[in-house]
Amino acid sequence: MATRRDALKSLAAMAMGSTLSATGAAAATAPAMVSGKYGARKQPNILIFLTDDHARWLQQAYGNSEVKTPNMTRIAERGVRMLNAHTPSPVCSPARACFFTGRMPSQHGIHDWLEEYKDSYAYPWLKGQTLISELLKGVGYNTALVGKWHCGEDRYPHPGFDEWFCFWFAQYPHYGLQNFSDNGKHVTANGLQSPFLSAQAIDFVKGHYANEKTKDSPFFLFVGYTDTHSPHIEMPEGLVSEYDDATFRDIHKEEPQPCHGVVLTGISKDPKVERMKLQEYYAAASTVDREVGRVLDALEETMSREELENTIIIYTTDHGLNAEQHGIWEKGNATIPQNFLEESIMIAQAFSWPAGGIPEGLALDIPVNHCDLFQTLLDAAGATPDETTARKINSPGRSYLAHLRGDNSNLWRSEVICEYGNARMMKQDGYKLILRYPYAGIQFENELYDLKADPQENVNIYKEPEHANRVASMTKAIEAFFAVYTVPGHSGLELAKQPQATPASPWLHAIKLQKENKLPEGLLVKPGSSA
């Protein structure tokens, strides 16, 4: 077993072989051109940072007054900052699969985070589904994944990726002995994890331009850091100490509310422990930011100005996170039943592409998610799938490339839809509706919140008569959406018929709590009544 990662291998063999394009033809070896309203240009390079558990509120670009994330701000200032981006599912694996496939969880079939030692390998998961990497490779892209995948069988390279640097066992630890998969080969390293990932990302870019077979082709590089994921420990001491005097004033702190259910990951009763968790979490954001800066600097050193300006750079996250907000830590699985709190579902997204007609410093308020990002990148790359493939994927996403360029002439939807296991959510016109469906005989009450009057979501108004019409119309819209965007055998309403993602799923945890008589009766639908 190797003890360190060698330099990235030559990409010549892959570049020389023919691949199938999105329309079924052999990919050309000459640089392809993308034409459109802004004229013909070479296909853009694509660099996407999709970080784990990094809350939207924990960025300078989104108003946090204490955290230090200048490089994330650097991306936002050079492009568009999305103000209304959401995750399709507030937990790791389903959200990531939505980006890679352009599909909702009830289509791709991953409904919770995948336990990485057993369940991740016990079922095919995304095998046979069309990945964004395949579509981009099909039109000439040199592709790489560095860091977190978490959509099944992490150690094995997945279709469409020319280079694969992921985890051999799991994404832990943040600091210590690291076990990586280098294109399916077990390699190890020792130290803080994220700098190793940055080094591989930089090696990929340098190797891309040093190789005669790839230097004239566009690249797609996905980088997934995990520093901001729990446990909130092991960040560089120098960055942790930068928050010794922080007040954490940007966190709205409150006690858990009964309507949010049973808290699984609450706040420590020891103020010193809690303060250190916050310092570590803020330091994790700064650690990721430092690594983002390293990669951005390497691009500027390696690429021509023309190539750099024709590179799409995105910083986003899989989902949000609570850090004392609502009296909890973590995301959608912090409570029983699973939650769709704003801090869990809203995400940061900054999108830069100077040569693509995207202006600097724009803030865009349309609601988008990872399925839309999938479509937008394919649109920008000239990789929109042919009709047969598009019908097979059946993505609910839409390209918002025109909106990024400041063209708002095309109407955009007003609603946001998320799902997590046996619960579905819609936001529309300032209201949030959560529909909960039974699992193993347990059904929790539905919820409706007026986000304008009750931004903390503390008063469930679902059963108030004056909202009956709104509930009916939003329910109908949710049902209509999933009638179109569900694959038989993958529905979140049929979890009992599907493979287990993790034994820690909220719907499984609810069974345990019920057996222990720890489920408050007020949360449950009484037998014989409707939710």
Side-chain angles (χ1 to χ4, degrees), residues 244-394:
D244 283 348
D245 298 323
T247 64
F248 306 111
R249 55 181 172 264
D250 297 296
I251 298 175
H252 182 92
K253 303 179 182 181
E254 62 179 343
E255 293 297 315
Q257 299 299 306
C259 61
H260 297 154
V262 178
V263 175
L264 298 181
T265 49
I267 298 174
S268 172
K269 294 181 180 180
D270 185 335
K272 292 182 179 179
V273 170
E274 194 62 22
R275 178 176 179 85
M276 184 51 63
K277 281 181 67 176
L278 288 171
Q279 283 190 233
E280 289 274 357
Y281 187 45
Y282 274 56
S286 293
T287 299
V288 170
D289 185 82
R290 181 180 66 182
E291 298 308 314
V292 167
R294 285 183 61 200
V295 176
L296 295 181
D297 289 346
L299 260 61
E300 293 180 356
E301 294 169 2
T302 305
M303 301 166 67
S304 68
R305 182 176 181 84
E306 180 182 3
E307 284 283 350
L308 190 62
E309 292 193 348
N310 196 34
T311 299
I312 294 173
I313 301 176
I314 300 165
Y315 186 88
T316 190
T317 62
D318 46 8
H319 48 72
L321 194 93
N322 297 269
E324 296 191 355
Q325 293 95 336
H326 309 284
I328 64 175
W329 273 87
E330 303 303 324
K331 53 261 185 182
N333 56 5
T335 57
I336 302 296
Q338 58 269 52
N339 72 74
F340 295 88
L341 295 164
E342 291 293 275
E343 289 80 3
S344 297
I345 64 173
M346 295 202 74
I347 60 174
Q349 187 186 115
F351 198 117
S352 171
W353 183 22
I358 294 179
E360 293 187 355
L362 182 67
L364 192 57
D365 197 35
I366 61 171
V368 298
N369 64 23
H370 291 322
C371 297
D372 299 313
L373 181 56
F374 170 91
Q375 295 284 30
T376 301
L377 293 180
L378 294 180
D379 185 10
T384 301
D386 62 73
E387 185 177 345
T388 301
T389 305
R391 191 182 305 115
K392 176 185 174 183
I393 296 172
N394 190 29

Side-chain angles (χ1 to χ4, degrees), residues 397-461:
R398 290 176 55 192
S399 171
Y400 49 94
L401 184 57
H403 292 268
L404 289 169
R405 289 168 167 161
D407 180 359
N408 297 314
S409 59
N410 293 325
L411 292 178
W412 194 263
R413 61 176 177 265
S414 61
E415 71 279 358
V416 173
I417 292 181
C418 300
E419 64 171 319
Y420 182 10
N422 59 333
R424 292 170 171 174
M425 183 225 81
M426 172 181 277
K427 283 172 62 177
Q428 187 179 60
D429 299 331
Y431 287 85
K432 178 184 290 184
L433 174 66
I434 302 171
L435 300 180
R436 302 191 181 278
Y437 298 85
Y439 181 85
I442 300 174
Q443 184 172 4
F444 293 95
E445 292 280 1
N446 293 333
E447 299 165 54
L448 179 71
Y449 298 101
D450 181 344
L451 297 177
K452 294 178 181 177
D454 178 28
Q456 298 309 117
E457 305 171 61
N458 290 336
V459 182
N460 183 4
I461 57 175

Side-chain angles (χ1 to χ4, degrees), residues 18-197:
S18 64
T19 58
L20 291 180
S21 73
T23 56
T29 56
M33 304 297 285
V34 179
S35 60
K37 178 179 177 181
Y38 290 85
R41 62 173 54 84
K42 184 182 173 184
Q43 292 165 298
N45 300 308
I46 300 171
L47 168 61
I48 176 168
F49 299 99
L50 198 153
T51 304
D52 201 2
D53 281 20
H54 185 183
R56 176 184 186 270
W57 55 265
L58 192 61
Q59 266 199 50
Q60 286 174 293
Y62 285 87
N64 192 296
S65 60
E66 292 185 302
V67 74
K68 299 171 183 177
T69 53
N71 291 299
M72 298 173 197
T73 301
R74 177 176 166 190
I75 299 172
E77 289 178 346
R78 292 179 179 178
V80 177
R81 182 169 49 101
M82 305 301 291
L83 301 180
N84 205 4
H86 292 74
T87 182
S89 185
V91 71
C92 302
S93 300
R96 290 168 176 272
C98 292
F99 169 74
F100 287 117
T101 67
R103 310 170 100 189
M104 293 293 289
S106 281
Q107 295 177 289
H108 61 60
I110 299 180
H111 290 283
D112 209 342
W113 62 272
L114 294 179
E115 186 278 321
E116 293 163 289
Y117 290 90
K118 179 182 177 182
D119 294 324
S120 179
Y121 294 88
Y123 183 75
W125 300 113
L126 296 186
K127 285 185 178 179
Q129 300 189 45
T130 303
L131 305 179
I132 190 171
S133 52
E134 295 177 274
L135 294 169
L136 292 172
K137 183 176 173 61
V139 294
Y141 275 76
N142 183 24
T143 60
L145 177 140
V146 175
K148 186 167 181 175
W149 159 256
H150 207 186
C151 293
E153 300 187 334
D154 286 16
R155 68 181 59 167
Y156 302 128
H158 286 261
F161 286 104
D162 296 310
E163 294 293 335
W164 184 265
F165 193 83
C166 194
F167 304 116
W168 190 259
F169 296 119
Q171 67 188 50
Y172 306 110
H174 295 315
Y175 184 92
L177 179 62
Q178 308 294 332
N179 288 275
F180 295 120
S181 169
D182 176 6
N183 291 313
K185 179 182 179 182
H186 188 188
V187 296
T188 62
N190 209 303
L192 187 65
Q193 182 187 107
S194 50
F196 292 115
L197 300 182

